[in-house]
Amino acid sequence: MALDVAAMAARALSSACFASQLQASSNLCVLDLRPNLQYRQSHIQDAISLSLSNLLLRRVAANGIGILPGYVKERLARASTIVLYDAETEDVERSADQKSALKVMLEAVQAVAMSVYFLCGGFSSFQSAYPDLCKVVAAENASSGSSTHGLAATQAHPHYHPSAPR
């Protein structure tokens, strides 16, 4: 499936619009595509960390969201609106990285859901405008590797490991 860049440009969501949706909707799935350490330091409330290695990104690009952990697929299936964000992407169309996690995941999620958006300006813009809608974790907890979201976002999945039996 080819990435429809024109559709993605129309699917950019401003920080203000996202903040309104976040406060009003309980049927929203928010995926944080930044590295796990950044997620553990701070993230948008109720976001799921989905930091994928290059290998997993290639698998998602080739096979869609079917390879994602079950809890992520369940949240995606229940959500009426899905918002993805990275650190600071303003414009997916003009992004220098053609294989970025944001582009790959937008394409994969758009293949199975209708209301899919990316947060324009990413986490950095949103956090500076709406710090009260972000969860900040103490530095010692963030670097310890413990998951603060309640979902096993940083849990190793044995079937993803190269040495796991097939």
Side-chain angles (χ1 to χ4, degrees):
M1 171 184 231
L3 188 59
D4 186 354
V5 178
M8 284 195 303
R11 294 293 199 167
L13 194 62
S14 70
S15 291
C17 189
F18 176 57
S20 296
Q21 282 192 347
L22 192 59
Q23 292 169 323
S25 178
S26 61
N27 203 12
L28 187 66
C29 179
V30 182
L31 297 178
D32 184 328
L33 302 175
R34 299 173 306 141
N36 280 325
L37 181 58
Q38 290 178 16
Y39 171 85
R40 289 192 315 258
Q41 290 171 343
S42 59
H43 56 271
I44 296 171
Q45 68 184 25
D46 299 326
I48 298 172
S49 177
L50 196 58
S51 177
L52 300 174
S53 68
N54 287 335
L55 174 62
L56 286 177
L57 277 176
R58 287 193 304 270
R59 288 184 179 176
V60 169
N63 303 311
I65 66 166
I67 68 152
L68 296 177
Y71 67 89
V72 175
K73 290 186 288 190
E74 289 170 18
R75 288 277 299 269
L76 289 171
R78 288 193 320 254
S80 60
T81 302
I82 300 163
V83 179
L84 295 91
Y85 70 90
D86 62 4
E88 57 190 20
T89 297
E90 291 283 341
D91 186 347
V92 175
E93 181 178 357
R94 293 194 176 121
S95 173
D97 186 0
Q98 296 301 312
K99 298 290 183 186
S100 72
L102 184 59
K103 282 187 176 184
V104 170
M105 287 303 300
L106 276 170
E107 181 176 356
V109 175
Q110 283 177 333
V112 298
M114 294 301 293
S115 294
V116 181
Y117 302 89
F118 76 92
L119 182 58
C120 187
F123 181 75
S124 59
S125 292
F126 186 80
Q127 184 183 35
S128 44
Y130 299 94
D132 54 319
L133 295 177
C134 298
K135 182 173 183 175
V136 178
V137 181
E140 64 273 4
N141 290 340
S143 62
S144 71
S146 63
S147 175
T148 58
H149 190 270
L151 298 173
T154 59
Q155 176 183 1
H157 297 280
H159 56 282
Y160 293 157
H161 195 276
S163 65
R166 305 268 177 225

